[in-house]
Amino acid sequence: MPVADDTVVHVVGAGLAGSEAAWQLAERRGISVVLHEMRPNLMTQAHVTSNFAELVCSNSFRSSDVNSAVGLMHEELRRMGSLIMACADISRVPAGGALAVDRELFSGKVTDCIVNHPMIHISYEEVNKIPDDWRHVIIATGPLTSESLATCIQEMTGKEHLSFFDAISPVIFADSLNYSTVWMQSRYDKGDTEEDRKAYINCPLTEVEYNNFIDALLSARVKEFHEWENTACFEGCLPIEVMASRGRDTLRYGPMKPVGLRNPHANGQRPYAVVQLRMENKLGNLYNMVGFQTKMLYSEQERVFRMIPGLEEASFSRLGGIHRNTFIDSPALLEDDFTLASRPGVRFAGQITGVEGYIESTAIGLLVAHFTADSILGIPSSHPDACTATGSLLRHVTVLNHSGKNFQPMNVNFGLFPELDLTVHGRKGKKDRGIMYSNRALERIVSFPYTL
């Protein structure tokens, strides 16, 4: 394939956004793609395989409820023919009201689709800089952008790129749990099937056990950072010990909240606190600790986490970790089609643009693919309506919503949407408002030209 061809798109990075972008360009728009992926020749701090779209943090795409902002985005992407959503649906494992996947099966299916597509050429080389003769480029290197490319991006943007740290939760072998202590139940028994209603394993703590756990967590040794790494963690993915340092009850109102759960080993009573484990793969032999991302040393993780009732003999498939996460000041740098203002033809996609979350990264990858295709084909680009989940996220990370304030990564949420007209809808409860936001979005997404 002539890599300098004016109609070829170079997609750098085969994560969620890059894989989605490559697929949309080739499959939906008939445009040739060179997909550049440095793994396995050069691995990152967090990846463990050479598969595309590898999920390095959680295996959950979060709520599948269409009346939540993220569940609405799931549905919008399905309607736009998303490869990532199709593979996620095929690879789904029970998770109550959430969409969680067998991560190996999921990334394997994405990889198969990409490598077998006749219009996608794979280059397993690190991209250190963007050559001048690449006319159309999508940089989708995500939070683990290599140092050399990050330097190149810094030179192109003329601004200091920003960074924070993202943390990974431990994964436990299911057969190492104490089943005389734990029980299986989704919060509030959510789910359409019995399997979904019992999708989570719950580890109960009494008040004394909880306080002892917090004491151990606060005194545990953690990974020390170099001076240049001393940046803030993303608020939506804080290490468990950082949350605990904000107040003794913080975890009881966060990832260890006991609401909606009743312990059958204690006459159906609600425990003082709960640690939930979510199925990691279809075999059901691996579970991850929900919300337990951490920067504790490995030895400390084993010691502290085995204090949790039910995990006394826990065997860990993977311990928690922490890694650098890089993003750019997108509203100040990018046009409304994600083009870098200082270098036309170069676009950014995915988490590096300042969206947070698997599904949000996927959505930006899909949009950028179509904006790029429109540019090549000489077609004016269309934007999804601001009242849709996809449209609201686009406006958050581009010049369309530039306010000059400090830009921070964001998950999709109804706070990004235009307000409902309460003179029409009236003041409703939170659940009713979610339904109205969702209904309005699904009515308007059909007018988006890239919807199937």
Side-chain angles (χ1 to χ4, degrees), residues 9-29 33 35 53 73 77 80-85 114 137-142 334 336-339 347-374 384 389-391 393-394 397-398 448 450:
V9 178
H10 294 266
V11 178
V12 185
L16 292 161
S19 295
E20 186 68 58
W23 177 260
Q24 293 293 326
L25 284 162
E27 180 70 11
R28 298 282 309 283
R29 307 301 294 272
V33 174
L35 180 59
M73 183 166 277
L77 287 176
M80 289 187 278
S82 165
L83 171 68
I84 295 300
M85 283 306 304
I114 296 292
V137 182
I138 298 174
I139 299 176
T141 46
L334 304 183
D336 62 2
D337 63 351
F338 291 88
T339 299
R347 290 177 172 82
F348 287 82
Q351 208 163 330
I352 196 171
T353 66
V355 297
E356 183 63 32
Y358 295 150
I359 203 65
E360 290 88 342
S361 297
T362 299
I364 300 302
L366 183 147
L367 289 177
V368 173
H370 287 292
F371 293 153
T372 304
D374 289 341
T390 313
L393 193 65
L394 179 152
V397 296
T398 66
F448 190 45
Y450 312 124

Coordinates of all heavy atoms in Angstrom, one line a residue, residues 9-29 33 35 53 73 77 80-85 114 137-142 334 336-339 347-374 384 389-391 393-394 397-398 448 450:
V9 N -5.6 7.0 5.1 CA -5.6 7.6 6.4 C -4.7 6.8 7.3 O -4.8 5.6 7.4 CB -7.0 7.6 7.0 CG1 -7.0 8.2 8.4 CG2 -8.0 8.4 6.1
H10 N -3.8 7.5 8.0 CA -2.9 6.8 9.0 C -3.5 7.0 10.3 O -3.7 8.1 10.9 CB -1.5 7.5 8.9 CG -0.8 7.3 7.6 ND1 0.1 6.2 7.5 CD2 -0.8 7.9 6.5 CE1 0.6 6.3 6.2 NE2 0.0 7.3 5.6
V11 N -3.9 5.8 10.9 CA -4.4 5.8 12.3 C -3.3 5.3 13.2 O -2.8 4.2 13.1 CB -5.7 4.9 12.4 CG1 -6.2 4.9 13.8 CG2 -6.7 5.4 11.4
V12 N -2.9 6.2 14.2 CA -1.8 5.8 15.1 C -2.4 5.4 16.4 O -3.0 6.2 17.1 CB -0.9 7.0 15.3 CG1 0.3 6.6 16.1 CG2 -0.5 7.6 13.9
G13 N -2.3 4.1 16.7 CA -2.8 3.5 17.9 C -4.0 2.6 17.7 O -5.0 3.1 17.1
A14 N -3.9 1.4 18.1 CA -5.0 0.4 17.9 C -5.8 0.1 19.2 O -6.1 -1.1 19.4 CB -4.4 -0.9 17.3
G15 N -6.0 1.1 19.9 CA -6.9 0.9 21.1 C -8.3 1.0 20.7 O -8.7 0.7 19.5
L16 N -9.2 1.4 21.6 CA -10.6 1.4 21.3 C -10.9 2.4 20.2 O -11.6 2.2 19.2 CB -11.4 1.7 22.6 CG -11.4 0.6 23.6 CD1 -11.8 1.2 25.0 CD2 -12.3 -0.5 23.3
A17 N -10.4 3.7 20.4 CA -10.7 4.7 19.4 C -10.1 4.4 18.1 O -10.7 4.6 17.0 CB -10.2 6.1 20.0
G18 N -8.8 4.0 18.1 CA -8.1 3.8 16.8 C -8.7 2.6 16.1 O -8.9 2.7 14.8
S19 N -9.1 1.5 16.8 CA -9.7 0.4 16.1 C -11.1 0.8 15.5 O -11.4 0.4 14.4 CB -9.9 -0.8 17.1 OG -8.6 -1.2 17.6
E20 N -11.8 1.5 16.3 CA -13.2 2.0 15.8 C -13.0 2.9 14.6 O -13.7 2.8 13.6 CB -13.9 2.7 16.9 CG -15.3 3.1 16.5 CD -16.3 1.9 16.4 OE1 -16.4 1.1 17.3 OE2 -16.8 1.8 15.3
A21 N -12.0 3.8 14.7 CA -11.8 4.7 13.5 C -11.4 4.0 12.3 O -11.9 4.3 11.2 CB -10.8 5.8 13.9
A22 N -10.5 3.1 12.4 CA -10.0 2.3 11.3 C -11.1 1.5 10.6 O -11.3 1.5 9.4 CB -8.9 1.3 11.7
W23 N -12.0 0.9 11.5 CA -13.1 0.1 11.0 C -14.1 1.0 10.3 O -14.6 0.6 9.2 CB -13.7 -0.6 12.1 CG -14.9 -1.4 11.7 CD1 -16.3 -1.1 11.9 CD2 -15.0 -2.7 11.1 NE1 -17.1 -2.1 11.4 CE2 -16.3 -3.1 10.9 CE3 -13.9 -3.6 10.7 CZ2 -16.7 -4.3 10.4 CZ3 -14.3 -4.8 10.2 CH2 -15.7 -5.2 10.0
Q24 N -14.5 2.1 10.8 CA -15.5 3.0 10.2 C -15.0 3.5 8.9 O -15.7 3.5 7.9 CB -15.8 4.2 11.1 CG -16.5 3.8 12.4 CD -17.9 3.3 12.2 OE1 -18.6 3.7 11.3 NE2 -18.3 2.3 13.0
L25 N -13.7 3.9 8.8 CA -13.1 4.4 7.5 C -13.2 3.3 6.5 O -13.6 3.6 5.3 CB -11.7 4.8 7.8 CG -11.5 6.2 8.5 CD1 -10.1 6.3 9.0 CD2 -11.9 7.3 7.5
A26 N -12.7 2.1 6.8 CA -12.6 1.0 5.8 C -14.0 0.4 5.5 O -14.3 0.2 4.3 CB -11.6 0.0 6.3
E27 N -14.7 0.0 6.5 CA -15.9 -0.7 6.3 C -17.1 0.2 5.9 O -17.9 -0.2 5.0 CB -16.3 -1.5 7.6 CG -17.6 -2.3 7.6 CD -17.4 -3.5 6.7 OE1 -16.3 -3.9 6.3 OE2 -18.5 -4.1 6.4
R28 N -17.2 1.3 6.5 CA -18.4 2.2 6.3 C -18.1 3.2 5.1 O -19.1 3.5 4.4 CB -18.8 2.9 7.5 CG -19.2 2.1 8.7 CD -20.6 1.6 8.6 NE -21.6 2.6 8.3 CZ -22.1 3.5 9.1 NH1 -21.7 3.4 10.4 NH2 -23.0 4.4 8.8
R29 N -16.9 3.6 5.0 CA -16.6 4.7 4.0 C -15.8 4.3 2.8 O -15.5 5.0 1.9 CB -16.0 5.9 4.7 CG -16.8 6.4 5.9 CD -18.3 6.8 5.5 NE -18.3 8.0 4.6 CZ -18.3 9.2 5.1 NH1 -18.3 9.5 6.4 NH2 -18.4 10.2 4.2
V33 N -6.8 2.4 5.0 CA -6.2 2.7 6.3 C -4.9 2.0 6.5 O -4.7 0.8 6.2 CB -7.2 2.4 7.4 CG1 -6.6 2.7 8.8 CG2 -8.5 3.1 7.3
L35 N -3.0 1.2 9.9 CA -3.2 1.3 11.3 C -1.8 1.0 11.9 O -1.3 -0.1 11.8 CB -4.2 0.2 11.8 CG -4.5 0.2 13.3 CD1 -5.0 1.5 13.8 CD2 -5.5 -0.9 13.6
A53 N -7.5 -3.0 21.0 CA -8.6 -2.7 21.9 C -8.5 -3.4 23.2 O -9.5 -3.8 23.8 CB -10.0 -2.9 21.3
M73 N -25.3 6.3 25.3 CA -24.3 6.3 24.4 C -24.1 4.9 23.8 O -23.8 4.8 22.6 CB -23.0 6.9 25.0 CG -21.8 7.0 24.0 SD -20.4 8.0 24.6 CE -21.0 9.6 24.2
L77 N -24.2 4.4 19.7 CA -23.2 3.8 18.9 C -23.6 2.5 18.2 O -23.2 2.2 17.1 CB -22.0 3.5 19.9 CG -21.2 4.7 20.3 CD1 -20.1 4.3 21.4 CD2 -20.6 5.4 19.2
M80 N -25.1 3.5 15.1 CA -24.1 4.0 14.1 C -23.1 3.0 13.7 O -22.1 3.3 13.0 CB -23.3 5.2 14.8 CG -24.2 6.5 14.9 SD -23.2 7.9 15.5 CE -23.1 7.6 17.2
G81 N -23.5 1.7 14.0 CA -22.7 0.6 13.4 C -21.3 0.5 14.1 O -20.3 0.1 13.4
S82 N -21.2 0.7 15.4 CA -19.9 0.6 16.1 C -19.4 -0.8 16.1 O -20.1 -1.7 16.6 CB -20.0 1.2 17.5 OG -18.9 0.8 18.3
L83 N -18.1 -1.0 15.7 CA -17.4 -2.3 15.9 C -17.2 -2.6 17.3 O -17.5 -3.8 17.7 CB -16.1 -2.3 15.1 CG -15.2 -3.5 15.4 CD1 -15.8 -4.7 14.7 CD2 -13.8 -3.2 14.9
I84 N -16.8 -1.7 18.1 CA -16.5 -1.9 19.5 C -17.8 -2.4 20.2 O -17.8 -3.3 21.0 CB -16.0 -0.6 20.2 CG1 -14.6 -0.3 19.6 CG2 -15.9 -0.8 21.7 CD1 -13.5 -1.3 19.7
M85 N -18.9 -1.7 20.0 CA -20.2 -2.2 20.6 C -20.6 -3.5 20.2 O -21.1 -4.3 21.0 CB -21.3 -1.1 20.4 CG -21.2 0.1 21.2 SD -21.1 -0.2 23.0 CE -22.6 -1.2 23.3
I114 N -10.2 -6.4 12.5 CA -9.3 -5.4 11.9 C -8.3 -6.0 11.0 O -8.1 -5.6 9.8 CB -8.6 -4.6 13.0 CG1 -9.7 -3.8 13.8 CG2 -7.6 -3.7 12.4 CD1 -10.3 -2.7 13.1
V137 N -4.2 12.0 9.1 CA -3.7 11.3 10.3 C -4.7 11.4 11.4 O -5.3 12.5 11.7 CB -2.3 11.9 10.7 CG1 -1.8 11.1 11.9 CG2 -1.3 12.0 9.6
I138 N -4.9 10.3 12.1 CA -5.7 10.3 13.3 C -4.8 9.7 14.4 O -4.4 8.6 14.4 CB -6.9 9.4 13.2 CG1 -7.9 9.9 12.1 CG2 -7.7 9.3 14.5 CD1 -9.1 9.0 11.8
I139 N -4.5 10.6 15.4 CA -3.7 10.2 16.5 C -4.6 9.7 17.6 O -5.4 10.5 18.2 CB -2.8 11.3 17.0 CG1 -1.8 11.8 15.9 CG2 -2.0 10.9 18.3 CD1 -1.0 13.0 16.3
A140 N -4.6 8.4 17.9 CA -5.5 7.8 18.8 C -4.6 6.9 19.8 O -5.0 5.7 20.1 CB -6.5 6.9 18.1
T141 N -3.5 7.5 20.3 CA -2.6 6.7 21.1 C -3.0 6.6 22.6 O -2.4 5.9 23.3 CB -1.2 7.3 21.0 OG1 -1.3 8.7 21.2 CG2 -0.6 7.0 19.6
G142 N -4.1 7.3 22.9 CA -4.7 7.1 24.3 C -3.8 7.6 25.4 O -2.9 8.4 25.2
L334 N -8.2 22.0 19.3 CA -8.9 21.3 18.2 C -10.1 22.1 17.6 O -10.8 22.7 18.4 CB -9.4 19.9 18.7 CG -8.3 19.0 19.3 CD1 -9.0 17.7 19.7 CD2 -7.2 18.8 18.3
D336 N -13.8 21.9 15.4 CA -15.0 21.1 15.8 C -15.0 19.8 15.1 O -15.9 19.0 15.3 CB -16.3 21.9 15.5 CG -16.4 22.3 14.1 OD1 -15.6 21.9 13.2 OD2 -17.4 23.0 13.8
D337 N -14.1 19.5 14.2 CA -14.0 18.2 13.6 C -12.7 17.4 14.1 O -12.3 16.5 13.5 CB -13.9 18.3 12.0 CG -12.7 19.0 11.5 OD1 -12.0 19.6 12.3 OD2 -12.5 19.0 10.3
F338 N -12.2 17.9 15.2 CA -11.0 17.3 15.9 C -9.7 17.5 15.1 O -8.7 16.8 15.4 CB -11.3 15.8 16.2 CG -12.3 15.6 17.2 CD1 -13.7 15.5 16.9 CD2 -12.0 15.5 18.6 CE1 -14.7 15.3 17.8 CE2 -13.0 15.3 19.5 CZ -14.3 15.2 19.2
T339 N -9.7 18.4 14.2 CA -8.5 18.8 13.5 C -7.6 19.7 14.4 O -8.1 20.6 15.0 CB -8.8 19.5 12.2 OG1 -9.6 18.7 11.3 CG2 -7.5 19.9 11.5
R347 N -5.7 14.9 13.1 CA -6.8 14.8 14.0 C -6.5 14.0 15.2 O -5.6 13.1 15.1 CB -8.1 14.3 13.4 CG -8.7 15.3 12.3 CD -10.0 14.7 11.7 NE -10.6 15.6 10.8 CZ -10.3 15.9 9.6 NH1 -9.3 15.3 9.0 NH2 -11.0 16.8 8.9
F348 N -7.1 14.2 16.3 CA -6.9 13.4 17.5 C -8.2 12.7 17.8 O -9.3 13.2 17.5 CB -6.5 14.3 18.7 CG -5.1 14.8 18.7 CD1 -4.8 15.9 17.9 CD2 -4.1 14.1 19.3 CE1 -3.5 16.3 17.8 CE2 -2.8 14.5 19.3 CZ -2.5 15.7 18.5
A349 N -8.1 11.5 18.4 CA -9.3 10.8 18.8 C -9.1 10.0 20.1 O -8.0 9.6 20.4 CB -9.7 9.8 17.6
G350 N -10.2 9.7 20.8 CA -10.1 8.8 22.0 C -9.7 9.6 23.2 O -9.9 10.8 23.4
Q351 N -9.1 8.8 24.1 CA -8.9 9.3 25.5 C -7.8 10.5 25.5 O -7.9 11.3 26.4 CB -8.4 8.2 26.4 CG -8.8 8.4 27.8 CD -8.7 7.1 28.6 OE1 -8.9 6.0 28.1 NE2 -8.4 7.2 29.9
I352 N -7.0 10.5 24.5 CA -6.0 11.6 24.5 C -6.6 13.0 24.3 O -6.0 14.0 24.6 CB -4.9 11.3 23.4 CG1 -3.7 12.2 23.6 CG2 -5.5 11.5 22.0 CD1 -2.5 11.8 22.7
T353 N -7.9 13.0 23.8 CA -8.6 14.2 23.6 C -9.2 14.8 24.9 O -9.7 15.9 25.0 CB -9.7 14.1 22.6 OG1 -10.8 13.2 23.1 CG2 -9.2 13.6 21.3
G354 N -9.2 13.9 26.0 CA -9.7 14.4 27.3 C -11.1 13.8 27.6 O -11.8 14.4 28.4
V355 N -11.5 12.8 26.9 CA -12.7 12.0 27.3 C -12.2 10.9 28.2 O -11.1 10.5 28.1 CB -13.5 11.5 26.1 CG1 -14.0 12.6 25.2 CG2 -12.7 10.5 25.3
E356 N -13.0 10.5 29.1 CA -12.6 9.5 30.1 C -13.6 8.3 29.9 O -14.8 8.5 30.0 CB -12.7 10.0 31.5 CG -12.2 9.0 32.5 CD -10.8 8.6 32.3 OE1 -9.9 9.4 31.8 OE2 -10.5 7.4 32.7
G357 N -13.1 7.1 29.7 CA -14.0 5.9 29.7 C -13.9 5.2 28.3 O -13.6 5.9 27.3
Y358 N -14.1 3.9 28.3 CA -14.0 3.1 27.1 C -15.0 3.6 26.1 O -14.7 3.8 24.9 CB -14.3 1.6 27.5 CG -13.4 1.0 28.4 CD1 -13.8 -0.1 29.2 CD2 -12.0 1.3 28.4 CE1 -12.9 -0.7 30.1 CE2 -11.1 0.6 29.2 CZ -11.6 -0.4 30.0 OH -10.7 -1.0 30.9
I359 N -16.3 3.8 26.5 CA -17.3 4.0 25.5 C -17.1 5.4 24.9 O -17.4 5.7 23.8 CB -18.7 3.8 26.1 CG1 -19.7 3.5 25.0 CG2 -19.1 4.9 27.0 CD1 -19.4 2.2 24.2
E360 N -16.7 6.4 25.8 CA -16.5 7.7 25.3 C -15.3 7.8 24.3 O -15.4 8.5 23.3 CB -16.1 8.6 26.5 CG -17.3 8.9 27.4 CD -17.5 7.8 28.5 OE1 -16.9 6.7 28.4 OE2 -18.2 8.1 29.5
S361 N -14.3 7.0 24.5 CA -13.2 7.0 23.6 C -13.6 6.4 22.2 O -13.3 6.9 21.2 CB -12.0 6.1 24.1 OG -11.5 6.7 25.3
T362 N -14.4 5.4 22.3 CA -15.0 4.7 21.1 C -15.8 5.7 20.3 O -15.7 5.8 19.1 CB -15.8 3.5 21.5 OG1 -15.0 2.6 22.2 CG2 -16.5 2.9 20.3
A363 N -16.6 6.5 21.0 CA -17.5 7.5 20.3 C -16.7 8.5 19.6 O -17.0 8.9 18.4 CB -18.4 8.1 21.3
I364 N -15.6 9.0 20.2 CA -14.8 10.0 19.5 C -14.1 9.4 18.3 O -14.0 10.0 17.3 CB -13.8 10.6 20.5 CG1 -14.6 11.3 21.7 CG2 -12.9 11.6 19.8 CD1 -15.5 12.4 21.2
G365 N -13.6 8.2 18.5 CA -13.0 7.5 17.3 C -13.9 7.4 16.2 O -13.5 7.6 15.0
L366 N -15.2 7.0 16.4 CA -16.2 6.9 15.4 C -16.4 8.2 14.7 O -16.4 8.3 13.4 CB -17.4 6.3 15.9 CG -18.6 6.0 14.9 CD1 -19.4 4.8 15.4 CD2 -19.5 7.2 14.8
L367 N -16.6 9.3 15.4 CA -16.9 10.6 14.9 C -15.7 11.1 14.0 O -15.9 11.6 12.9 CB -17.2 11.6 16.0 CG -18.5 11.5 16.7 CD1 -18.6 12.5 17.8 CD2 -19.7 11.6 15.8
V368 N -14.5 10.9 14.6 CA -13.3 11.4 13.8 C -13.1 10.7 12.5 O -12.7 11.3 11.5 CB -12.1 11.3 14.7 CG1 -10.8 11.7 13.9 CG2 -12.2 12.3 15.9
A369 N -13.4 9.4 12.5 CA -13.3 8.6 11.2 C -14.2 9.2 10.2 O -13.8 9.4 9.0 CB -13.7 7.2 11.5
H370 N -15.5 9.6 10.5 CA -16.4 10.1 9.5 C -16.0 11.6 9.2 O -16.1 11.9 8.0 CB -17.8 10.0 10.1 CG -18.3 8.6 10.1 ND1 -18.6 7.9 8.9 CD2 -18.6 7.8 11.1 CE1 -19.1 6.7 9.2 NE2 -19.1 6.6 10.5
F371 N -15.5 12.3 10.1 CA -15.0 13.7 9.8 C -13.9 13.6 8.8 O -13.8 14.4 7.8 CB -14.6 14.4 11.0 CG -15.7 14.8 12.0 CD1 -15.5 14.9 13.3 CD2 -17.0 14.9 11.5 CE1 -16.5 15.2 14.2 CE2 -18.1 15.2 12.4 CZ -17.8 15.4 13.8
T372 N -13.0 12.6 9.0 CA -11.8 12.5 8.1 C -12.3 12.0 6.7 O -11.8 12.5 5.7 CB -10.9 11.4 8.7 OG1 -10.5 11.8 10.0 CG2 -9.6 11.3 7.8
A373 N -13.2 11.1 6.7 CA -13.7 10.6 5.4 C -14.4 11.7 4.6 O -14.2 11.9 3.4 CB -14.7 9.4 5.6
D374 N -15.2 12.5 5.3 CA -15.8 13.7 4.7 C -14.8 14.6 4.1 O -15.0 15.1 2.9 CB -16.7 14.4 5.7 CG -17.9 13.7 6.1 OD1 -18.3 12.7 5.4 OD2 -18.5 14.0 7.2
P384 N -23.4 15.4 15.3 CA -24.5 14.9 16.0 C -25.2 16.0 16.8 O -24.5 16.9 17.3 CB -24.0 13.8 16.9 CG -22.5 14.1 17.0 CD -22.1 14.8 15.8
A389 N -26.0 12.0 23.3 CA -24.8 11.7 24.2 C -23.6 12.0 23.4 O -22.6 12.6 23.9 CB -24.9 10.3 24.7
T390 N -23.5 11.5 22.1 CA -22.3 11.7 21.3 C -22.1 13.1 21.0 O -21.0 13.6 21.1 CB -22.5 10.9 20.0 OG1 -23.0 9.6 20.3 CG2 -21.2 10.8 19.2
G391 N -23.1 13.9 20.7 CA -23.0 15.3 20.4 C -22.6 16.1 21.6 O -21.8 17.0 21.5
L393 N -20.8 15.1 24.1 CA -19.4 14.8 24.4 C -18.5 15.5 23.5 O -17.4 16.1 23.8 CB -19.1 13.3 24.4 CG -17.8 12.8 25.0 CD1 -17.7 13.1 26.5 CD2 -17.6 11.4 24.7
L394 N -18.9 15.6 22.2 CA -18.1 16.3 21.2 C -17.9 17.7 21.6 O -16.8 18.3 21.4 CB -18.8 16.2 19.8 CG -18.1 16.8 18.6 CD1 -18.5 16.1 17.3 CD2 -18.6 18.3 18.5
V397 N -15.2 18.5 24.3 CA -13.8 18.4 24.1 C -13.3 19.2 22.9 O -12.1 19.0 22.5 CB -13.4 16.9 23.9 CG1 -13.6 16.2 25.2 CG2 -14.1 16.3 22.8
T398 N -14.2 20.0 22.3 CA -13.7 20.8 21.1 C -14.0 22.3 21.3 O -14.5 22.7 22.3 CB -14.4 20.4 19.8 OG1 -15.8 20.6 19.9 CG2 -14.2 18.9 19.6
F448 N -28.7 12.1 12.3 CA -27.3 12.1 12.1 C -27.0 11.2 10.9 O -27.4 10.0 10.8 CB -26.6 11.6 13.3 CG -25.1 11.8 13.3 CD1 -24.5 13.0 12.9 CD2 -24.3 10.8 13.7 CE1 -23.2 13.2 13.0 CE2 -22.9 10.9 13.8 CZ -22.3 12.1 13.4
Y450 N -24.6 9.5 9.8 CA -23.8 8.3 9.9 C -24.5 7.1 10.6 O -24.0 6.1 10.9 CB -22.5 8.6 10.6 CG -21.8 9.8 10.0 CD1 -21.4 10.9 10.8 CD2 -21.6 9.9 8.6 CE1 -20.8 12.0 10.2 CE2 -21.0 11.0 8.0 CZ -20.6 12.1 8.9 OH -20.0 13.2 8.3

